[in-house]
Every structure is written in C-alpha cells, then in structure tokens.
Amino acid sequence: MSMPDPALNVLADGPIRAMVVLGTRPEAIKLAPVVRAMNASPAFDPIIVNSGQHREMLLPMLRTLGIAAGTDLAVMRDRQRLSELTGRLVNALDAVIADRRPDVVIVQGDTTTALCGALAASYERVPVAHVEAGLRTGNLANPFPEELNRQLIGRIARWHFTPTARAAAHLRAENVPDRNIITTGNTVIDNLHWMLAQDEGKPAFRTDLRRVLVTLHRRESQGAGMRELAGVLRRLADRGDCEVLLPLHKSPAVRESLVPTLKDHPAITICEPLDYPDFAATLAACDLVLTDSGGVQEEAPSLGKPVLVLRATTERPEAVEAGVARLVGTEPAHVLAAATRLLDDPAERAGMARAVNPFGDGKASNRIVTTLVRDCLRPDALFVPAFD
Ligand code: UD1
Ligand code: UDP
C-alpha cells in the first residue's frame, strides 16, 4: 500500500492526534485498515478508544486485526436498551475526549458508538471525520436505529468519507458542502484483501454439500419475522443437497429468534461468531449468501458470491444494480422462492457469481489518511463548520 507523501508528514505542532472511536464488530473491521495506515505514518499519533458496546464479538477481532485499544469504556450490558447505552456512551466518550484533547475524532458507520463519538466530539468542539458516510435508505424505521444515526452524524461531521458516488450525492442533496465530501471507497474492501492475503482462515462448513452462508441480526427483524426466516432456512436444509451455516450473533434476542427452529438438523450448522480470518475463508468458500448484514453485502460481491439480502430496504443498492445481489425482503415465501431458484438453477447462480467491486478498490484508507494530513496541515481547514 502506498503511504501519504512523507513531505506532508512534517507537522509544525507534532503529529496529528487522531482519536479513533469504535465499539462493535463492523467498526473494528472497517477501521482496522485506517489504523494500520495511521500507524505506518509519522504524521499520526493515533489514540484508539474501544467504547465496549460489544464484548465477546469485538475483543478477539481487535486482537486478530492487530488493533491495540488504549482505552476500553466497557459499557456493554446484557440486553442493553438504546437510550441507556446512548447515555452511558456520551458520558464516557465525552470524558475521554475532554481528557485527551485529540485534533480529530474518527467514527465509522451508523452504530450507537459512532453517533455518540460524533456527539461527544462536537460537544468538546473537536472536528469529526465520518468513515462510510452518506449511506441512506430514507426510512428512519429501516434499518433502525442506524438510518437515524447516519443522518445525525451527517449533520455533525467535518469530513464525510463516502464509499461511493451515490453516497456522496445523498450528502450533497442534504446541503453538505462539496469540499467536505471525499469519495474514497469502503475500507471494508481494504481489510478483506488484507485478511485473505494473510491466508490464515479455515472455512467453517462441515459437509461437501452446496454451501449456504447465512447471517441475521437486525433489530427490525428480531422476534416473529426472524423466527419465520429460521423456518425458511430449515426448509432449505430439508432439501438434502445443501448445508446451511449460520454463525450466530451474540445478541440474546437473535438467538431466541433463531435457535429453537434451527437446532438439531443434520444439514444446519450453527456456531459462535467466527473470527474474521475464518469468516473471510468461509465467505470465499460458499456458493450462496443470505444476509441482513451491511458488511457482508459489501464483501460478498468482491469475492463473486451471489447475495440475497433479507431486508425490506438496503442502503447499498450498488450491488443490486451490478446484478450480484437481490433485495428479497423478509416475507418467507419470497425468500424461499428466491433461494430455491438459485439453488436449482446453476445458470441463474452463475449469472450472479461475478466478482465486482462496487464498494471500493481496496485503497480507501490511504485516501482517508492522505486527506486528513492535507487538511490538518491547514489549521483554518480544521474548524470549518460542516455548514456554510
Ligand atoms: C450493533 C449496531 C448495528 C450493527 C451491529 C453489528 C447499534 C444500534 N447497532 O447492533 O448497527 O450492525 O452492532 O453486529 O449500534 N451482545 C453480547 N456480546 C457481544 C455483542 C453484543 O452479549 O459481544 C449483546 C448485548 O448485550 C446486547 C445485544 O447483544 O444486548 C445487542 O447488541 P447491541 O450492540 O445493542 O446491538 P447489535 O444488535 O449488536
Ligand atoms: N463477520 C465475522 N464473523 C461472523 C460474521 C460476520 O467476522 O461470524 C464479519 C463480516 O465479515 C463483516 C462484519 O462481520 O465484515 C459484519 O458485521 P455485522 O453483520 O455484525 O454488522 P453490519 O455489517 O450489519 O453492521
């Protein structure tokens, strides 16, 4: 990976104190390449803060990705409610930002940690860089609360690093000034390439049947909707020609919705969350993906894996437009029909199994750190309000 111009690394006031705030699995995955790029540059003195929104799903991930978080705010509670999580996070993040006084706070995506990191930074008048900016469904109920979080961060951030031209257009339509929008690609692709190059993972499938990889966790599907989707997965496994593999999210609500229907079937493998090397290897080895995950929708096309998106909306329509993903909703009959068609018809499957990269070329992190170095060298650029 080429690094920012070393000539830019000579900073009058010392290196840029960039505070990276993360707390969930996808934030770790998508910020890891940004942290690696900053660690490799003398222009940065990164400060990594783990909010602790996730615990079991995050700590092994941080180790695998080589991220040493100096601070763990350990806010996670069992069955945490959004309002109490938000309250704890804003308080704890404000304290750490006030104490460390970073030059910039970097947040990623649409989690409660990202929203609270952006809010706390703006209360402390520290400029915010938003990685994976501009994703929109326009529907505050779906995904919930992520669409709200993204829109709010979009009001706060100074730098909006967008994965695609469409995401940039969403921000322009919301009157974010052009000079604050930088289209970089999605850092998830940087990390996926890095991980597969390490060649450390093992696929988690147990059989030689056709391999269907499933992930489900969204709040808006939990309960009756997710139980019905579990019924569809069991019907697929009943075919006898495919293995359905589902690494389970740690959320108790997700487990209660899925496990009773999926357990004790010879063609269904349910397991604990996979560490990233194994998940990447499993994705690379599968024939078909069924998911409601944002990150998986971005990674699968890059590896030429057909994706059925089990959601009512997607903020990542680029893969659908490229013909490698289908938005099939959550209605059980539709999901079953779409999956059956792909499993029955090899030509249909092959038509979607094309490796494309609508979400990035693997160089997003480099563009992000280069932009931050350029702008942090100009103190007037730092405190430009997001809106003129
Ligand atoms: C969060 C994000 C979502 C993201 C997902 C990634 C918000 C509002 N949502 O959703 O955008 O897609 O992370 O996975 O920020 N839990 C554990 N151990 C863990 C992780 C979670 O027990 O390691 C439990 C928590 O106690 C909690 C539940 O799982 O009760 C849900 O976790 P939470 O962070 O509230 O939301 P997610 O559904 O994980
Ligand atoms: N992932 C993983 N192990 C698993 C399931 C997913 O490492 O068992 C990775 C996956 O590669 C993707 C990310 O987790 O990069 C997606 O996280 P999640 O689905 O929890 O959140 P979302 O992307 O929907 O916000």
Side-chain angles (χ1 to χ4, degrees), residues 24-26 53-58 76-80 82 85 110-113 145-146 149 217-219 222 249-252:
T24 67
R25 170 167 73 185
Q53 178 177 339
H54 283 178
R55 194 169 46 215
E56 298 87 346
M57 283 168 58
L58 184 71
M76 197 193 93
R77 301 288 181 276
D78 195 25
R79 295 175 194 268
Q80 54 205 3
L82 287 173
L85 177 64
D110 51 19
T111 66
T112 303
T113 291
E146 288 80 5
N149 291 348
H217 75 280
R218 302 235 78 88
R219 271 170 201 263
Q222 290 168 10
H249 195 279
K250 275 286 181 191
S251 163

Coordinates of all heavy atoms in Angstrom, one line a residue, residues 24-26 53-58 76-80 82 85 110-113 145-146 149 217-219 222 249-252, ligand 1:
T24 N -18.0 -1.9 18.0 CA -18.7 -3.1 17.5 C -17.9 -3.8 16.5 O -16.9 -3.2 16.0 CB -20.1 -2.8 16.9 OG1 -19.8 -2.0 15.7 CG2 -21.0 -1.9 17.8
R25 N -18.3 -5.0 16.2 CA -17.5 -5.8 15.2 C -17.3 -5.1 13.9 O -16.1 -5.0 13.4 CB -18.3 -7.2 15.0 CG -17.8 -8.0 13.9 CD -18.3 -9.4 13.9 NE -19.7 -9.4 13.5 CZ -20.5 -10.5 13.6 NH1 -20.0 -11.7 14.1 NH2 -21.7 -10.5 13.2
P26 N -18.3 -4.6 13.2 CA -18.1 -4.0 11.9 C -17.2 -2.7 12.0 O -16.4 -2.5 11.1 CB -19.4 -3.6 11.3 CG -20.4 -3.6 12.5 CD -19.8 -4.6 13.5
Q53 N -19.1 -1.3 23.4 CA -20.5 -1.6 23.1 C -20.7 -3.1 22.9 O -21.7 -3.7 23.3 CB -21.0 -0.8 21.8 CG -22.4 -1.1 21.4 CD -22.9 -0.3 20.3 OE1 -22.4 0.7 19.9 NE2 -24.0 -0.8 19.6
H54 N -19.8 -3.7 22.2 CA -19.7 -5.2 22.1 C -18.5 -5.7 22.9 O -17.6 -5.0 23.1 CB -19.4 -5.6 20.6 CG -20.7 -5.6 19.7 ND1 -20.6 -5.9 18.4 CD2 -22.0 -5.2 20.0 CE1 -21.9 -5.8 17.9 NE2 -22.7 -5.4 18.9
R55 N -18.6 -7.0 23.4 CA -17.6 -7.5 24.2 C -17.0 -8.8 23.5 O -16.0 -8.7 22.8 CB -18.1 -7.8 25.6 CG -17.0 -8.1 26.6 CD -17.6 -8.1 28.0 NE -18.8 -8.9 28.1 CZ -19.9 -8.6 28.9 NH1 -19.8 -7.6 29.7 NH2 -20.9 -9.4 28.9
E56 N -17.7 -9.9 23.6 CA -17.2 -11.2 23.1 C -17.0 -11.1 21.5 O -16.0 -11.7 21.0 CB -18.2 -12.3 23.3 CG -18.4 -12.6 24.8 CD -19.6 -11.7 25.4 OE1 -20.0 -10.7 24.7 OE2 -20.0 -12.0 26.5
M57 N -17.8 -10.3 20.8 CA -17.7 -10.2 19.4 C -16.6 -9.3 19.0 O -16.1 -9.3 17.8 CB -19.0 -9.8 18.8 CG -20.0 -10.9 18.7 SD -21.6 -10.3 18.3 CE -21.4 -9.5 16.7
L58 N -16.1 -8.5 19.9 CA -15.1 -7.4 19.5 C -13.7 -7.7 19.9 O -12.8 -7.5 19.1 CB -15.5 -6.1 20.1 CG -14.7 -4.9 19.7 CD1 -14.9 -4.6 18.3 CD2 -14.9 -3.7 20.6
M76 N -20.9 -2.2 27.7 CA -22.0 -3.2 27.3 C -22.7 -3.8 28.6 O -22.1 -4.1 29.6 CB -21.4 -4.4 26.5 CG -22.4 -5.2 25.8 SD -21.9 -6.8 25.2 CE -22.3 -7.8 26.6
R77 N -24.0 -3.9 28.5 CA -24.8 -4.6 29.5 C -25.7 -5.6 28.7 O -26.0 -5.4 27.5 CB -25.8 -3.6 30.2 CG -25.1 -2.5 30.9 CD -24.4 -2.9 32.2 NE -23.7 -1.8 32.8 CZ -22.6 -1.3 32.5 NH1 -21.8 -1.8 31.6 NH2 -22.1 -0.2 33.2
D78 N -26.1 -6.7 29.4 CA -26.9 -7.7 28.8 C -28.3 -7.0 28.4 O -28.8 -6.2 29.1 CB -27.2 -8.8 29.8 CG -27.8 -10.0 29.1 OD1 -27.5 -10.2 27.9 OD2 -28.5 -10.8 29.7
R79 N -28.7 -7.3 27.2 CA -30.0 -6.7 26.7 C -30.1 -5.2 26.8 O -31.1 -4.6 27.3 CB -31.2 -7.4 27.4 CG -31.3 -8.9 27.0 CD -32.4 -9.5 27.8 NE -32.3 -11.0 27.8 CZ -32.9 -11.7 26.9 NH1 -33.6 -11.2 25.9 NH2 -32.7 -13.0 26.9
Q80 N -29.0 -4.5 26.4 CA -28.9 -3.1 26.6 C -30.0 -2.4 25.8 O -30.2 -2.7 24.6 CB -27.5 -2.6 26.3 CG -27.0 -2.9 24.9 CD -25.5 -2.9 24.8 OE1 -24.8 -2.7 25.8 NE2 -24.9 -3.2 23.7
L82 N -31.4 1.1 23.9 CA -30.7 2.1 23.1 C -30.4 3.4 23.9 O -29.4 4.0 23.9 CB -31.4 2.4 21.8 CG -31.3 1.3 20.7 CD1 -32.2 1.7 19.6 CD2 -29.9 1.1 20.3
L85 N -27.8 2.8 26.7 CA -26.5 2.7 26.0 C -26.0 4.1 25.5 O -24.8 4.5 25.7 CB -26.6 1.7 24.8 CG -25.4 1.5 23.9 CD1 -24.2 0.9 24.7 CD2 -25.7 0.7 22.7
D110 N -22.7 3.6 11.4 CA -24.0 4.0 11.9 C -24.4 3.4 13.2 O -25.6 3.3 13.5 CB -25.1 3.6 10.8 CG -24.9 2.1 10.4 OD1 -24.3 1.4 11.2 OD2 -25.4 1.8 9.4
T111 N -23.5 3.0 14.0 CA -23.8 2.4 15.3 C -24.0 3.5 16.4 O -23.8 4.6 16.2 CB -22.6 1.5 15.8 OG1 -21.5 2.4 16.1 CG2 -22.2 0.5 14.8
T112 N -24.5 3.0 17.5 CA -24.7 3.9 18.7 C -23.3 4.5 19.1 O -23.2 5.7 19.4 CB -25.4 3.2 19.8 OG1 -26.6 2.7 19.3 CG2 -25.7 4.2 21.0
T113 N -22.3 3.7 19.0 CA -20.9 4.2 19.3 C -20.5 5.3 18.4 O -20.0 6.3 18.8 CB -19.9 3.0 19.2 OG1 -20.1 2.1 20.3 CG2 -18.5 3.5 19.3
P145 N -31.8 1.5 14.7 CA -31.8 3.0 14.5 C -30.7 3.5 13.6 O -30.4 4.7 13.7 CB -31.5 3.4 16.0 CG -30.5 2.4 16.4 CD -30.9 1.1 15.8
E146 N -30.2 2.6 12.8 CA -29.0 3.0 12.0 C -29.2 4.2 11.1 O -28.3 5.0 10.9 CB -28.4 1.8 11.3 CG -27.7 0.8 12.2 CD -28.7 -0.2 12.9 OE1 -29.9 -0.1 12.6 OE2 -28.3 -1.0 13.7
N149 N -29.0 7.3 13.0 CA -27.6 7.6 13.4 C -26.8 8.2 12.3 O -26.1 9.2 12.5 CB -27.0 6.3 13.9 CG -27.5 5.8 15.2 OD1 -28.3 6.5 15.9 ND2 -27.2 4.5 15.5
H217 N -29.1 -10.5 12.1 CA -29.1 -9.9 13.4 C -29.9 -8.6 13.6 O -30.0 -8.1 14.7 CB -27.6 -9.6 13.8 CG -27.0 -8.4 13.1 ND1 -26.6 -8.4 11.8 CD2 -26.9 -7.1 13.5 CE1 -26.1 -7.3 11.4 NE2 -26.3 -6.4 12.4
R218 N -30.5 -8.1 12.5 CA -31.1 -6.7 12.6 C -32.2 -6.6 13.6 O -33.1 -7.5 13.7 CB -31.5 -6.2 11.2 CG -30.5 -6.2 10.2 CD -30.4 -4.9 9.5 NE -29.6 -4.0 10.4 CZ -28.3 -3.8 10.3 NH1 -27.6 -4.5 9.5 NH2 -27.7 -3.0 11.1
R219 N -32.2 -5.5 14.3 CA -33.3 -5.3 15.3 C -34.7 -5.4 14.7 O -35.6 -5.9 15.3 CB -33.1 -3.9 16.0 CG -32.2 -3.9 17.2 CD -31.9 -2.5 17.6 NE -30.7 -2.6 18.4 CZ -30.7 -2.6 19.7 NH1 -31.8 -2.6 20.4 NH2 -29.5 -2.7 20.4
Q222 N -36.0 -9.0 14.5 CA -36.0 -9.8 15.6 C -37.4 -10.2 16.1 O -38.3 -9.4 15.9 CB -35.2 -9.2 16.8 CG -33.7 -9.1 16.5 CD -33.0 -8.3 17.5 OE1 -33.5 -7.8 18.5 NE2 -31.7 -8.0 17.2
H249 N -25.0 -14.3 15.9 CA -24.7 -13.1 16.6 C -24.8 -13.3 18.1 O -25.6 -14.2 18.5 CB -25.7 -12.0 16.1 CG -25.3 -10.6 16.5 ND1 -25.5 -10.1 17.7 CD2 -24.8 -9.6 15.7 CE1 -25.2 -8.8 17.7 NE2 -24.7 -8.5 16.5
K250 N -24.1 -12.6 18.9 CA -24.2 -12.8 20.4 C -25.5 -12.3 21.0 O -25.8 -12.6 22.2 CB -23.0 -12.1 21.1 CG -21.8 -13.0 21.1 CD -21.9 -14.1 22.1 CE -20.7 -15.0 22.1 NZ -20.9 -16.2 22.9
S251 N -26.2 -11.5 20.3 CA -27.5 -10.9 20.9 C -28.4 -12.0 21.4 O -28.8 -12.8 20.6 CB -28.1 -10.0 19.8 OG -29.4 -9.7 20.2
P252 N -28.9 -11.9 22.6 CA -29.8 -12.9 23.1 C -31.1 -12.9 22.3 O -31.7 -13.9 22.0 CB -30.1 -12.5 24.6 CG -29.1 -11.5 24.9 CD -28.5 -11.0 23.7
Ligands
UD1_1 C1 -25.0 -3.2 16.7 C2 -25.3 -2.0 15.8 C3 -25.6 -2.5 14.4 C4 -24.5 -3.4 13.9 C5 -24.2 -4.5 14.8 C6 -23.0 -5.3 14.4 C7 -26.4 -0.2 17.0 C8 -27.6 0.5 17.4 N1 -26.5 -1.3 16.2 O1 -26.2 -4.0 16.8 O2 -25.7 -1.4 13.5 O3 -24.9 -3.9 12.6 O4 -23.9 -3.9 16.1 O5 -23.0 -6.5 14.9 O6 -25.3 0.2 17.4 N2 -24.0 -8.7 22.9 C9 -23.3 -9.5 23.6 N3 -21.9 -9.7 23.3 C10 -21.4 -9.1 22.3 C11 -22.1 -8.2 21.5 C12 -23.5 -8.0 21.8 O7 -23.8 -10.1 24.6 O8 -20.2 -9.3 22.0 C13 -25.4 -8.4 23.3 C14 -25.6 -7.1 24.0 O9 -25.7 -7.4 25.4 C15 -26.9 -6.6 23.5 C16 -27.2 -7.3 22.2 O10 -26.2 -8.3 22.1 O11 -27.9 -6.7 24.5 C17 -27.2 -6.4 21.1 O12 -26.0 -5.6 21.0 P1 -26.1 -4.1 20.5 O13 -24.7 -3.5 20.5 O14 -27.1 -3.3 21.4 O15 -26.7 -4.1 19.1 P2 -26.4 -5.0 17.9 O16 -27.7 -5.7 17.5 O17 -25.2 -5.8 18.1

